[in-house]
Amino acid sequence: MPQAIQAMLATHPQQDAAALNMQALTACIEACAECAQVCTSCADACLGEREHLMHLVRCIRLNLDCADICAATGRVVTRLTQADPAVLRAQLQACVAACRACGDECEMHAREMNMEHCRICAESCRRCEQACQQLLGGMNA
């Protein structure tokens, strides 16, 4: 998948006008796609934790919110034609916030309840948060 994303972005006629670091953009798109899938799977795994389900309601909610926000962010930043920098910035900031909240919650469950699926999810959230931050940092103010 990464090669296909890079190839598509490299052939896009608006790539120069986008004023984005293509390496950071590709990393962000990949991290968003991964995080969306991992968070969806973590929410499902949390639903399977029957004896702890009441303690995992917030985690499930954050997983699903993060998955939706990551998926939307990946789609928004993929579109280079006449992108509005304020919209891109806001979307990336929302993704950072969602990944941070979900990652914090999942880290807590991994540590306190020894839930491996939450550990994996927290790691994916941190990668996505960092990728979005890097893309944000490279945008013109």
Side-chain angles (χ1 to χ4, degrees), residues 19-118:
L20 295 171
N21 175 319
M22 287 298 149
Q23 186 175 2
L25 178 60
T26 302
C28 183
I29 293 167
E30 291 168 3
C32 285
E34 174 194 292
C35 195
Q37 294 304 311
V38 170
C39 285
T40 299
S41 185
C42 189
D44 187 63
C46 285
L47 285 170
E49 299 279 0
R50 302 246 185 249
E51 65 275 8
H52 302 292
L53 192 55
M54 292 311 298
H55 297 287
L56 296 172
V57 172
R58 177 174 163 74
C59 191
I60 294 166
R61 170 59 192 257
L62 289 170
N63 281 154
L64 296 175
D65 287 350
C66 192
D68 287 345
I69 292 168
C70 287
T73 301
R75 288 191 307 272
V76 168
V77 300
T78 298
R79 297 190 287 263
L80 301 179
T81 304
Q82 296 186 11
D84 184 308
V87 171
L88 288 177
R89 207 172 283 109
Q91 186 65 45
L92 287 164
Q93 289 167 342
C95 197
V96 166
C99 287
R100 185 174 296 133
C102 188
D104 288 350
E105 186 74 12
C106 281
E107 273 183 8
M108 181 183 68
H109 293 297
R111 182 179 58 252
E112 295 176 7
M113 301 171 85
N114 201 31
M115 293 186 175
E116 185 67 8
H117 55 85
C118 282

Side-chain angles (χ1 to χ4, degrees), residues 121-134:
C121 188
E123 289 173 359
S124 183
C125 287
R126 297 302 183 218
R127 282 191 298 274
C128 190
E129 178 184 358
Q130 182 179 20
C132 288
Q133 285 283 26
Q134 284 186 282

